[in-house]
Amino acid sequence: MRVLKFGGSSVATATAISQTLDTVLEAAKGDRVVLICSAIKGCTDALIAASSLEGEERTAAIGALSDQHALIVRRLFTGAERERLDEVMDDLFEDLAAAPSEDFQTFGELFSTRIIAQKLFCEGVNSLWLDSRDLIRTRDGQVVVEDSYRRIRQAVAAHPQVRIFVAPGFIARDERGHVTTLGRGGSDYSAALYAAALDAASLQIWTDVPGIMTANPKDVHSALTVKSMSYEAAFSLAKNGAKVLYPPTVIPAAEAGIDIEIRNTFAPAGAYTVIGSEPCGNWVGVTSAEGRITLVADYPFPVSSTLARVRSVLASEGIPVRSISVLDDGVQVEVAPQLGSAALKSVHKEFFERDSKGVIDLYVAGTGAVGSALVELVRQNSARLAEKTGKTLRIAHCVSHEAEDEEFFAKLLKEAPRHSIFIDCTDSETIWKWYSPLLEAGIDVVSANRRSLAVPYVNYREMKASALSEGTFLRYETTVGAALPILDSLARCANSSDEIISLEAVVSCTLNKILTSSDPFPEALRKAQEAGLTEKDPSADLSGRDALRKLLILAREAGIALEESDVEVIPVKGNETFTKGSRFVASLVKDAARPLGYRARIALETVPEDHPAYSLQGTENMIIIRGEFHPSPLIIRGAGEGARQAASSLLNDILR
Ligand code: ASP
Ligand code: MG
């Protein structure tokens, strides 16, 4: 047996009812079904309101509800079927008009389930309407469980040929024989009672959101579906104000060991939640009710650091904490009711948007030397880093593919938690087109691929703007001088309004290696190629293309909107006269006569013996920055290549 419960919005219109019935008929292919329904959305509230009216006002309120249902009937039925159902509904509305006020609220589920049962009957399904008032019994406001279970079992056993039973949620009968309810939102509970009584193979609660989310999506737009959680965690969320589930529902299901699925009627194939006996091992959500914010854990959470995080995030938003307390499975804090919504958002952000337990998912593209070195470095160091920085890095996905791998990016955009990090270790020319969509989807980007940053300036600006608008980051220190802190130093100068007077970058590892070697040029080039030092196509080094990309990145970091066409590039041909001081230099020098205010050039130069680059060795890189505040230049020198170096630089960008 499967028990499927549909909430008020799943039966609110003829269209929604059709969608609901599609799901029910699909389920009924595999097993017999008990279908429990709520009243149509808003109906119970309207009935309660009508019960306190009198005379014509009451009649008008009942008339409005009757019209609402009649409209659904008209959409779903024609001819004799419609007439028959109209009569049934008219009788029910007459009963309502004659009922004592306190019974008004018990009619909504009768209306909705009558319509649905009739629809199933007309579709030729062997179905039967069950009267929950006769099956679920209460005493002193509590369900008499054993008696109710026995009645439900008997009713079902009496009709072995029925495929789909339809029963109203919410209503029951008390010890004096009066109709009563299981409390507002109680249809979920009715479904769980039916499921436990019948030892159902599945209990599904179909609603209008994709399962239990980390916060009410109406309040927090970035709330995410929690895929699984324990009964205890679900109970705690529900009890503290998560409207998606009526708290007592969990109890019969847990006692019978039946998983509860919370699913979305309007996206039946989409994300949903399974509630079962296994804790999910993480934070599951944050609720808010009149300034009381409850953060719920489904694991033995670290108490003192959690308290500190909650306090600090609220303090940083300027929200005063009235009180804070530790629960068995979380933390509860009171703020002024008018600050409840802001507090909810900021606690959600801290615990569910950045990383819940400090876990950061890494999505790596490119499995060449750098990508592999990064994966290795992360694996070796994750324990130490967690200890030191409180962040646990996790390689979520690693692919060799590049920009064309639509599937990888679609997956990333769809399922990566906010502030997961995409790491570009490819040398793709086109992968940059994904950067903006990722940054806008809340995913940070770290890149070792200088081609992505050497795109036309408008595209570069666009990527930066995407990051800015979403509070995500795009970092690419690795693209120039591997592990050397070059871009960071340059950005510091530029940001502190130190005007750059000149930049000299001796950043081509290949040419530095060749030019500082004692071998003649062709011989040195061959050796460099053999050592894997050149770009895949060595002419990219000699032509200055690679240096050009680096110069674009450097200049832009210094706030200069440099384009390729602004740079004079004099390629190395190999037949020049080389001297001890020959260096391939990319330079940017202040020049008021130029439109950008700078002259940019890449060429072979002979530096004098007292020039810092004269002493460069092998593949070392050097950058010399002269600024207004740095008349004596800032010089950064060191290893300019190496997969390990690049990986460590990526790791710094990840952790910074
Ligand atoms: N119709 C009832 C209510 O609005 C029960 C339910 O929908 O679960 O509270
Ligand atoms: Mg509900």
Side-chain angles (χ1 to χ4, degrees):
M1 187 68 82
R2 298 180 189 179
V3 176
L4 278 70
K5 179 262 169 178
F6 288 82
S9 38
S10 305
V11 295
T13 62
T15 320
I17 291 178
S18 298
Q19 198 133 15
T20 291
L21 290 180
D22 284 345
T23 303
V24 173
L25 292 171
E26 188 58 37
K29 283 184 191 158
D31 204 345
R32 302 169 80 200
V33 167
V34 176
L35 167 59
I36 309 288
C37 293
S38 289
I40 71 172
K41 191 176 177 165
C43 180
T44 309
D45 287 334
L47 287 165
I48 293 170
S51 71
S52 62
L53 300 174
E54 275 166 33
E56 275 173 26
E57 280 185 334
R58 176 182 280 209
T59 313
I62 293 175
L65 271 175
S66 165
D67 291 348
Q68 209 183 344
H69 286 84
L71 183 66
I72 296 175
V73 171
R74 218 175 312 139
R75 290 263 158 82
L76 291 175
F77 301 87
T78 52
E81 288 167 359
R82 188 195 284 176
E83 278 168 30
R84 203 171 316 129
L85 186 57
D86 275 342
E87 272 172 36
V88 173
M89 297 303 283
D90 285 348
D91 287 349
L92 278 174
F93 275 96
E94 269 172 34
D95 291 351
L96 170 66
S101 298
E102 65 271 21
D103 289 356
F104 266 42
Q105 57 172 324
T106 65
F107 278 77
E109 276 71 10
L110 299 177
F111 302 147
S112 64
T113 52
R114 279 299 187 189
I115 296 176
I116 285 167
Q118 180 72 12
K119 186 71 193 160
L120 285 170
F121 175 77
C122 293
E123 300 219 347
V125 181
N126 193 336
S127 52
L128 183 74
W129 186 83
L130 294 177
D131 192 342
S132 300
R133 292 169 295 191
D134 294 336
L135 305 185
I136 298 181
R137 308 309 289 259
T138 67
R139 179 183 305 275
D140 302 329
Q142 298 293 318
V143 171
V144 187
V145 174
E146 276 318 316
D147 186 27
S148 303
Y149 285 4
R150 191 179 44 75
R151 289 165 181 269
I152 291 170
R153 284 190 203 113
Q154 266 173 7
V156 166
H159 301 279
Q161 74 293 355
V162 168
R163 197 73 193 158
I164 302 178
F165 294 93
V166 182
F170 187 48
I171 51 177
R173 204 180 295 286
D174 68 16
E175 63 274 30
R176 289 161 307 156
H178 289 156
V179 58
T180 183
T181 78
L182 303 183
R184 293 306 307 271
S187 294
D188 296 345
Y189 186 28
S190 309
L193 293 167
Y194 275 92
L198 300 169
D199 195 20
S202 131
L203 168 58
Q204 301 175 355
I205 311 264
W206 290 81
T207 174
D208 57 1
V209 289
I212 300 187
M213 307 184 79
T214 49
N216 185 337
K218 292 189 184 91
D219 303 328
V220 181
H221 296 304
S222 48
L224 297 166
T225 299
V226 184
K227 298 212 168 74
S228 70
M229 68 178 76
S230 66
Y231 296 116
E232 291 78 11
F235 184 75
S236 182
L237 283 173
K239 192 184 59 180
N240 286 296
K243 297 196 182 67
V244 58
L245 188 69
Y246 184 52
T249 312
V250 175
I251 296 160
E255 278 171 4
I258 300 171
D259 286 356
I260 311 172
E261 291 174 19
I262 313 285
R263 309 184 64 134
N264 186 355
T265 304
F266 306 102
Y272 63 97
T273 304
V274 181
I275 304 166
S277 47
E278 282 298 308
C280 72
N282 211 330
W283 294 102
V284 286
V286 54
T287 62
S288 157
E290 283 136 31
R292 204 180 58 240
I293 310 292
T294 312
L295 174 67
V296 176
D298 201 9
Y299 78 111
F301 70 102
V303 174
S304 56
S305 68
T306 301
L307 286 172
R309 276 171 84 187
V310 171
R311 279 209 172 89
S312 117
V313 62
L314 293 176
S316 72
E317 297 285 326
I319 302 171
V321 169
R322 287 184 173 171
S323 72
I324 188 163
S325 51
V326 177
L327 315 173
D328 282 345
D329 59 353
V331 166
Q332 196 163 67
V333 24
E334 298 265 359
V335 301
Q338 69 274 19
L339 294 177
S341 157
L344 172 71
K345 288 195 179 81
S346 50
V347 171
H348 187 270
K349 192 167 197 151
E350 170 67 18
F351 286 84
F352 298 97
E353 294 176 45
R354 183 144 286 284
D355 48 88
S356 48
K357 276 195 301 181
V359 174
I360 302 176
D361 280 330
L362 308 181
Y363 289 77
V364 185
T367 47
V370 174
S372 314
L374 175 68
V375 170
E376 196 49 38
L377 197 62
V378 167
R379 296 220 163 109
Q380 281 167 2
N381 288 278
S382 67
R384 182 183 60 84
L385 289 172
E387 177 84 1
K388 183 148 184 260
T389 64
K391 296 176 185 170
T392 302
L393 301 182
R394 182 168 66 191
I395 306 284
H397 208 95
C398 188
V399 287
S400 59
H401 311 257
E402 304 194 340
E404 287 23 278
D405 194 350
E406 306 269 336
E407 206 183 307
F408 168 70
F409 286 101
K411 182 177 155 75
L412 183 51
L413 286 168
K414 181 158 167 262
E415 70 182 36
R418 242 186 113 73
H419 289 295
S420 299
I421 305 181
F422 168 68
I423 303 153
D424 182 0
C425 301
T426 73
D427 56 7
S428 162
E429 297 266 0
T430 51
I431 201 164
W432 64 270
K433 69 183 183 201
W434 292 102
Y435 284 17
S436 276
L438 291 169
L439 292 163
E440 280 165 19
I443 295 164
D444 299 313
V445 176
V446 168
S447 183
N449 178 5
R450 67 183 69 97
R451 286 170 173 81
S452 296
L453 281 308
V455 290
Y457 189 71
V458 276
N459 301 120
Y460 172 92
R461 275 300 301 265
E462 203 182 10
M463 295 191 265
K464 292 264 172 168
S466 300
L468 212 55
S469 74
E470 277 309 308
T472 43
F473 63 70
L474 167 61
R475 293 175 186 157
Y476 42 87
E477 179 66 84
T478 319
T479 57
V480 183
L484 301 178
I486 292 176
L487 297 178
D488 194 31
S489 309
L490 208 56
R492 287 168 68 109
C493 294
N495 295 348
S496 61
S497 74
D498 178 3
E499 203 187 0
I500 305 292
I501 293 166
S502 75
L503 251 178
E504 284 171 274
V506 196
V507 287
S508 168
C509 296
T510 319
L511 280 157
N512 288 351
K513 175 81 177 171
I514 296 169
L515 294 171
T516 59
S517 127
S518 54
D519 293 323
F521 190 89
E523 176 72 9
L525 173 61
R526 194 182 48 74
K527 283 190 183 163
Q529 254 178 298
E530 275 170 17
L533 276 179
T534 57
E535 289 281 304
K536 273 192 200 131
D537 170 11
S539 65
D541 293 302
L542 303 190
S543 69
R545 268 219 74 74
D546 194 52
L548 174 60
R549 293 189 186 111
K550 290 173 182 164
L551 187 60
L552 290 176
I553 297 172
L554 287 166
R556 291 167 181 184
E557 204 62 18
I560 303 157
L562 195 69
E563 292 282 13
E564 264 189 50
S565 56
D566 298 319
V567 187
E568 178 193 3
V569 185
I570 304 172
V572 179
K573 295 194 187 68
N575 57 3
E576 293 90 343
T577 352
F578 298 101
T579 67
K580 253 196 124 213
S582 289
R583 296 289 176 267
F584 197 54
V585 185
S587 61
L588 192 72
V589 180
K590 231 180 129 177
D591 181 348
R594 305 279 170 140
L596 277 179
Y598 286 87
R599 179 172 59 80
R601 185 169 189 264
I602 297 174
L604 205 56
E605 283 177 23
T606 305
V607 301
E609 252 177 78
D610 61 352
H611 189 281
Y614 189 84
S615 63
L616 273 188
Q617 307 246 314
T619 60
E620 274 183 333
N621 275 196
M622 178 177 285
I623 173 146
I624 304 159
I625 306 169
R626 284 191 176 77
E628 231 185 329
F629 310 155
H630 287 94
S632 152
L634 170 65
I635 301 176
I636 301 163
R637 170 188 183 160
E641 53 95 40
R644 275 288 306 205
Q645 283 82 350
S648 77
S649 172
L650 288 170
L651 192 53
N652 269 313
D653 275 352
I654 291 166
L655 293 170
R656 190 141 52 96

